[in-house]
Amino acid sequence: MGLLDNKTAIVTGSSRGIGAEVAKILAGEGAAVVVNYRQKAPRANKVVQGIEAAGGRAVAVGADLTTQEGVQALASAAMENFGSLDVLVLNASGGMESGMEEDYALKLNRDAQVNMLNAAVPLMKEGSRVVFVTSHQAHFIDTVPTMPSYEPVARSKRAGEDALRELVPHLAEKGISLVVVSGDMIEGTVTATLLDRATPGAIEARRAEAGKLYSVEEFAEVVAGMATADVKSGHTEYAGGADYFGKSAN
């Protein structure tokens, strides 16, 4: 018996990296998983194939979460394919990509998160869980400076977190809880790679300061664990970066 038998989870941004690992872990606990991608269908299909090969259930759904059509399509996919929606992992984020519109980070990291949650809530039963994934660089941005190249993204993600937290009372009325997972810089992620490209040596410097950085797999275990953890709504789970806590009262 898995912790998520007969449950359905949506994991946004799950064709690679942290999201893909979270999807695999949740499937291993018995959940049927909606694997979300924006453009890279073959990559998402490979995640689904891996889950199915291990005896799990999953479907890949292409959806641009910055559009209302994408948000609705993703929420509907859970019901159409598996008949329920019990866990929503808000993992998709971005803003450092080249060639995007000026306000893309805010559209994805704040607006899309709220829109996705609002689309999911009517489908979620009492006892359902929402997990929002963020970084220490974003969560602590008001008290701990970050690299200039990342600051706009960090502030957009903090705005997203704040907007979601404002919905906690509304979620409580429906018996749905929200948990935030904040992680230090994660080895091997796209964000870390882009940061290191913008500020050469950034990863090594952070590793030296923190002593250790989580791998994608280690952080995914924390995120997936919060789907079923016995914690209060509004709880923040921290992964790594203990030095942040001496710098901030947040």
Side-chain angles (χ1 to χ4, degrees):
M1 290 290 288
L3 293 171
L4 291 167
D5 284 348
N6 303 314
K7 306 285 189 184
T8 302
I10 290 175
V11 183
T12 66
S14 48
S15 66
R16 64 178 174 186
I18 294 163
E21 291 300 320
V22 169
K24 292 173 191 174
I25 296 167
L26 296 180
E29 287 291 348
V33 183
V34 178
V35 174
N36 163 239
Y37 66 94
R38 186 168 65 91
Q39 291 179 316
K40 303 290 200 292
R43 212 158 49 189
N45 289 331
K46 189 174 180 182
V47 175
V48 169
Q49 289 161 10
I51 289 172
E52 291 178 338
R57 295 179 299 153
V59 63
V61 177
D64 180 351
L65 302 186
T66 63
T67 70
Q68 197 58 41
E69 297 80 15
V71 163
Q72 292 296 339
L74 190 55
S76 298
M79 303 303 293
E80 291 166 3
N81 287 277
F82 304 118
S84 70
L85 175 55
D86 310 277
V87 176
L88 172 63
V89 180
L90 295 169
N91 167 73
S93 67
M96 294 195 69
E97 305 89 339
S98 58
M100 293 297 188
E101 57 198 297
E102 189 177 345
D103 62 346
Y104 179 72
L106 208 54
K107 281 181 68 174
L108 176 58
N109 298 331
R110 182 192 64 189
D111 302 346
Q113 310 299 319
V114 172
N115 291 341
M116 187 68 236
L117 178 58
N118 285 335
V121 163
L123 310 176
M124 302 178 88
K125 300 187 294 287
E126 185 174 350
S128 296
R129 170 66 52 86
V130 180
V131 181
F132 175 66
V133 182
T134 189
S135 65
H136 290 354
Q137 290 76 18
H139 181 74
F140 292 104
I141 188 61
D142 291 332
T143 50
V144 183
T146 190
M147 288 161 280
S149 56
Y150 188 64
E151 184 166 348
V153 175
R155 292 204 176 278
S156 69
K157 283 186 70 67
R158 182 68 220 201
E161 179 182 341
D162 291 343
L164 291 171
R165 287 187 183 278
E166 287 178 8
L167 297 175
V168 166
H170 169 63
L171 295 176
E173 292 173 7
K174 298 179 175 293
I176 301 169
S177 55
L178 169 75
V179 175
V180 173
V181 181
S182 179
D184 198 355
M185 196 180 290
I186 309 298
E187 301 260 20
T189 59
V190 174
T191 298
T193 301
L194 292 174
L195 270 174
D196 209 51
R197 193 176 298 162
T199 310
I203 295 174
E204 185 56 47
R206 182 63 200 139
R207 190 187 299 117
E209 191 174 22
K212 176 192 184 303
L213 297 180
Y214 275 53
S215 67
V216 166
E217 294 77 12
E218 288 170 330
F219 186 57
E221 288 279 1
V222 177
V223 174
M226 285 299 108
T228 54
D230 184 13
V231 294
K232 291 182 179 180
S233 189
H235 171 78
T236 306
E237 185 72 12
Y238 297 104
D243 55 322
Y244 270 84
F245 309 117
K247 301 173 183 175
S248 172
N250 195 355

